[in-house]
Amino acid sequence: MAGRAQIPTNNSALIAMIADEDTVTGFLLAGVGNVDLRRKTNYLIVDSKTTVKSIEDAFKEFTSKEDIAIVLISQYVANMIRFLVDSYNKPVPAILEIPSKDHPYDPAHDSVLSRVRYLFSAESVASGRR
């Protein structure tokens, strides 16, 4: 289909992570981690010393790389850069907000869920259903 974003298939696409240490460690143990030739990783561990600027930079880097298909971000970290997460509108890489051990998931702040709600409400209004 023309106009659809394609995930590169010459190599497998990566999953990037921006989350707390426990969450990132769990995904690294599952085999999600990658270090390229320039010693750049596909994850950022966020702790109390991590600046919002470094989170923003990691988000911008991960969403601009062509070999990343999904960016997993802890919801409490996404709330720190909510303006970037909400303004991101490309299908690839997909942005998925996940809960963390210390911060429960709040569906009211999930950007994907809010877009789905908007689409279904607009669709139901357009079709006359409600």
Side-chain angles (χ1 to χ4, degrees):
M1 293 194 170
R4 289 198 131 184
Q6 295 293 317
I7 297 173
T9 56
N10 56 351
N11 291 326
S12 59
L14 299 173
I15 296 175
M17 294 274 313
I18 304 174
D20 60 281
E21 185 175 16
D22 291 341
T23 303
V24 171
T25 301
F27 278 92
L28 291 178
L29 289 171
V32 170
N34 183 58
V35 180
D36 65 12
L37 296 173
R38 294 175 289 139
R39 307 289 297 159
K40 298 287 275 180
T41 61
N42 64 329
Y43 58 88
L44 173 68
I45 296 174
V46 178
D47 59 15
S48 61
K49 297 175 186 167
T50 307
T51 64
V52 173
K53 172 97 171 86
S54 62
I55 297 169
E56 291 173 2
D57 292 344
F59 182 84
K60 289 175 185 176
E61 177 186 348
F62 294 153
T63 56
S64 64
K65 289 179 74 173
E66 291 187 12
D67 61 342
I68 292 180
I70 300 171
V71 177
L72 298 175
I73 184 168
S74 289
Q75 191 177 52
Y76 82 96
V77 176
N79 287 337
M80 294 180 197
I81 58 166
R82 179 59 57 196
F83 65 97
L84 276 177
V85 174
D86 287 346
S87 64
Y88 182 80
N89 60 3
K90 296 178 184 172
V92 178
I95 308 299
L96 298 176
E97 295 179 33
I98 60 174
S100 64
K101 183 173 76 170
D102 298 329
H103 300 88
Y105 174 76
D106 182 6
H109 291 116
D110 191 330
S111 61
V112 173
L113 191 57
S114 66
R115 289 178 188 177
V116 169
R117 272 195 211 117
Y118 174 77
L119 287 174
F120 279 114
S121 66
E123 190 176 285
S124 64
V125 168
S127 66
R129 290 180 278 152
R130 211 157 201 228

